[in-house]
Amino acid sequence: MMGFTKLMLQGKVPDPETQREFLTIMDKQGGHLVNLIESLLDVSRIESGRFEIRRQRSLIENIIDDALQSAYSVANEKGIIINRDIPATLPEVDVDGERLGQLMTNLLSNAVKFSNGGSEINVRAEVKDDELLVRVTDHGVGIAQEDMPHLFDRFYQVDGSTTRAASGTGLGLYISKQIVEAHGGNIWVESELGKGSTFCFTIPKLLTKKQKRIGEILVEDGLITNRDLERALRKQRGHKAEPPEKPK
């Protein structure tokens, strides 16, 4: 990046097309640097206990779709088709939408990176018991069995001579695991060398507590005391009413 910048500042790249090529490379590498810095900051937060999860009610469908929008353009460059199987009936979840989006982006980025051109990627979500299960399946090079136990280790990279080409920082899956576990879920991979991989994770779905309606109390005038309210509720439940409170 610095070399390209110096050449352009010195006027040694007068051709507009070459300038555009250089700027495109610089922009891409700048994005890699941003991702590297953000990953290192996340690792620092995790190790210092400052990795925060800000939960709110969200639809997993929307979170996945936002991540898919970013993945489509990169997949199109390799002629990869992404199939989406996300039912509209999925329940709400209590999650950090930004962190979960980061997780989905990591998994989709890896799926595109290690898929063969012209292949397909399948993204599925479903309810399983009290959890939501999400799967990202590629039909790429797959992962050797000896590498499987270490995939989510910090800085671990698969040997490019056996399966996947070593690239990136080795932090994406490590951070993804921390995100899932911070939400009370699990993450794992199913893979066979030469036949692709499926990364799976679960998160608890939002459980709604059943509330029993006791009844309604109409207050027309004045104030109702705590004792009056308690007596009225006891009456509606079928308990014997207590005598009214004597005026003081």
Side-chain angles (χ1 to χ4, degrees):
M1 290 172 64
M2 293 176 64
F4 287 162
T5 303
K6 288 179 179 178
L7 287 174
M8 295 176 68
L9 288 174
Q10 293 170 1
K12 296 181 179 180
V13 190
D15 180 48
E17 287 301 319
T18 305
Q19 289 181 3
R20 179 177 293 275
E21 180 183 354
F22 283 7
L23 290 171
T24 301
I25 295 173
M26 292 164 63
D27 179 67
K28 186 175 182 179
Q29 295 303 317
H32 289 325
L33 285 176
V34 170
N35 290 336
L36 173 60
I37 293 169
E38 289 179 346
S39 295
L40 291 173
L41 288 173
D42 278 341
V43 171
S44 176
R45 295 185 187 103
I46 291 167
E47 293 184 342
S48 63
R50 293 183 292 106
F51 190 69
E52 297 181 355
I53 295 295
R54 297 182 175 89
R55 296 174 181 268
Q56 62 179 2
R57 285 195 174 197
S58 307
L59 288 173
I60 190 70
E61 178 184 8
N62 295 339
I63 295 172
I64 294 176
D65 283 342
D66 287 343
L68 283 171
Q69 290 303 317
S70 301
Y72 282 138
S73 59
V74 182
N76 288 336
E77 292 177 2
K78 296 181 65 174
I80 296 172
I81 298 174
I82 300 180
N83 300 313
R84 173 190 180 280
D85 184 10
I86 314 294
T89 56
L90 291 177
E92 289 184 319
V93 285
D94 187 22
V95 297
D96 185 324
E98 183 176 346
R99 288 297 184 187
L100 213 61
Q102 180 183 358
L103 161 67
M104 283 302 306
T105 298
N106 283 342
L107 297 184
L108 288 168
S109 176
N110 281 344
V112 173
K113 184 187 301 183
F114 299 116
S115 287
N116 300 318
S119 62
E120 296 184 354
I121 294 172
N122 299 314
V123 181
R124 296 186 174 91
E126 62 179 311
V127 176
K128 190 173 183 180
D129 299 325
D130 290 333
E131 296 179 317
L132 285 180
L133 171 62
V134 179
R135 295 187 179 96
V136 178
T137 302
D138 66 63
H139 298 86
V141 296
I143 304 168
Q145 289 301 310
E146 59 266 26
D147 291 313
M148 300 275 278
H150 307 289
L151 280 180
F152 298 99
D153 292 350
R154 186 182 56 174
F155 296 119
Y156 185 81
Q157 291 180 312
V158 175
D159 183 0
S161 63
T162 56
T163 53
R164 302 184 173 203
S167 61
T169 62
L171 294 174
L173 291 178
Y174 169 74
I175 294 171
S176 297
K177 185 174 186 290
Q178 306 305 313
I179 292 173
V180 172
E181 291 183 349
H183 284 88
N186 294 296
I187 186 169
W188 68 95
V189 61
E190 301 166 356
S191 183
E192 187 175 347
L193 196 58
K195 295 186 178 181
S197 306
T198 298
F199 282 84
C200 314
F201 71 88
T202 60
I203 53 173
K205 70 179 184 180
L206 185 64
L207 298 177
T208 56
K209 295 181 179 180
K210 294 183 178 180
Q211 295 182 345
K212 182 179 180 181
R213 182 170 179 174
I214 298 175
E216 297 179 351
I217 300 174
L218 179 63
V219 181
E220 296 181 351
D221 294 302
L223 298 175
I224 185 170
T225 66
N226 288 337
R227 186 178 179 86
D228 292 335
L229 177 60
E230 185 180 17
R231 186 167 55 250
L233 290 174
R234 285 177 58 84
K235 183 177 180 181
Q236 290 182 44
R237 295 191 188 104
H239 296 295
K240 184 178 180 181
E242 295 181 0
E245 186 178 5
K246 296 181 179 180
K248 297 180 182 180

